[in-house]
Amino acid sequence: MTPSVSPTFPGWRRVVTAAGCAALLALGPVGCGAEEDPDAGTNGLASLTPAEIEEQATAAAAEARAVRVSGTVITEGESFRLDMRLGEEGGFGEVSAEGGATFELLRVGEDLYMKADAAFWESEGIPEELDSDPAETLEGRYVRVAPDDPAYAQLSGFTDMEVLFDHLLTLDGEREVAEDRGEVDGAQTVTVLADGGAGGRLDVALIGEPYPLLLQRPGEAGELQLSDWNEDFELRAPEDDQILDYGDELVE
């Protein structure tokens, strides 16, 4: 007669537990005392110091060939809302100034163009050379901004990826990494806080390239979302019959 094995037999529980763990381990490192790595599948950014995270985010942005920048910027007491597509050879998009004035910008290489409706030109001042109704002449057409116009540097900055990053992608104060992971449009991020958040907040992608995805500027100076990294877009100068050129008399 074959003796039965009692569940109370010494060591039985250890044998069953070991067998169960062996089966589970064959499926992957779950349970049985194995700790799941919270950074599994990420780019490892969360394990770095705040300075290292910033450095990698800045480097990734500098090497990118294209990006979309949207949000609000407050600078020198003026508020701007922008939605720009930027690339290595220029950019285009829309800028809304405080008070409702909205205009489009397009830069191809060194050539900068501006387009706005009649209401914008009536509020901002019409070039002296223009004698006709601005609604008939300027609305819906591009005005070329001369490189020596004082407005050129300010306006072209909205279309220049390097300039925007140099001036806007900054924090102010002692850095720390937020304990909780963030999320921007479904993308998991690690967050760098400066001065507890008062000096700004930078959310950086945890999956793939460590691109900056969201920036809250220091001193509540606006918030910018950075998306569509390296997505190509068409950049083409307007046709000649769509362009008006008033040289350095464009903007006072």
Side-chain angles (χ1 to χ4, degrees):
M1 179 177 179
T2 303
S4 61
V5 178
S6 169
T8 59
F9 181 82
W12 173 257
R13 188 179 303 277
R14 292 196 299 273
V15 171
V16 171
T17 302
C21 280
L24 289 175
L25 287 173
L27 299 177
V30 293
C32 300
E35 294 185 4
E36 185 176 355
D37 182 0
D39 293 329
T42 74
N43 53 25
L45 216 62
S47 63
L48 303 181
T49 67
E52 290 170 333
I53 295 172
E54 267 193 277
E55 182 179 355
Q56 290 210 20
T58 301
E63 294 175 1
R65 67 176 184 273
V67 67
R68 180 177 182 178
V69 180
S70 57
T72 304
V73 173
I74 302 172
T75 178
E76 297 181 359
E78 293 187 84
S79 177
F80 299 92
R81 180 159 189 83
L82 59 151
D83 187 359
M84 303 294 301
R85 297 293 299 269
L86 309 176
E88 295 172 314
E89 300 301 323
F92 73 92
E94 185 176 271
V95 178
S96 299
E98 193 170 12
T102 299
F103 53 92
E104 295 179 28
L105 291 174
L106 167 64
R107 183 176 62 83
V108 183
E110 298 298 318
D111 295 326
L112 177 65
Y113 308 91
M114 180 179 182
K115 183 168 73 171
D117 59 17
F120 173 86
W121 293 115
E122 288 170 351
S123 65
E124 296 298 318
I126 303 168
E128 295 178 359
E129 294 88 344
L130 183 63
D131 296 325
S132 59
D133 186 343
E136 297 177 0
T137 307
L138 285 176
E139 186 170 29
R141 300 181 72 182
Y142 289 93
V143 175
R144 191 195 312 271
V145 184
D148 57 354
D149 190 307
Y152 183 93
Q154 179 183 15
L155 294 175
S156 64
F158 288 114
T159 68
D160 191 311
M161 193 161 51
E162 183 177 351
V163 170
L164 275 180
F165 289 161
D166 285 346
H167 286 82
L168 301 180
L169 205 59
T170 58
L171 301 175
D172 183 23
E174 185 176 351
R175 273 66 154 174
E176 62 181 307
V177 178
E179 292 184 5
D180 297 330
R181 304 290 171 79
E183 186 176 297
V184 178
D185 280 349
Q188 190 179 18
T189 63
V190 60
T191 304
V192 176
L193 300 173
D195 193 17
R201 166 186 174 136
L202 181 65
D203 280 67
V204 184
L206 266 177
I207 307 297
E209 291 295 321
Y211 290 124
L213 300 182
L214 184 68
L215 170 68
Q216 293 180 4
R217 302 187 66 215
E220 299 183 352
E223 179 177 291
L224 292 172
Q225 186 167 336
L226 300 99
S227 59
D228 298 346
W229 287 98
N230 284 335
E231 290 192 12
D232 295 327
F233 59 91
E234 185 177 12
L235 192 61
R236 181 192 305 172
E239 299 294 334
D240 289 342
D241 60 0
Q242 295 181 300
I243 302 172
L244 294 171
D245 195 337
Y246 291 97
D248 59 7
E249 298 295 333
L250 173 61
V251 180
E252 295 292 336

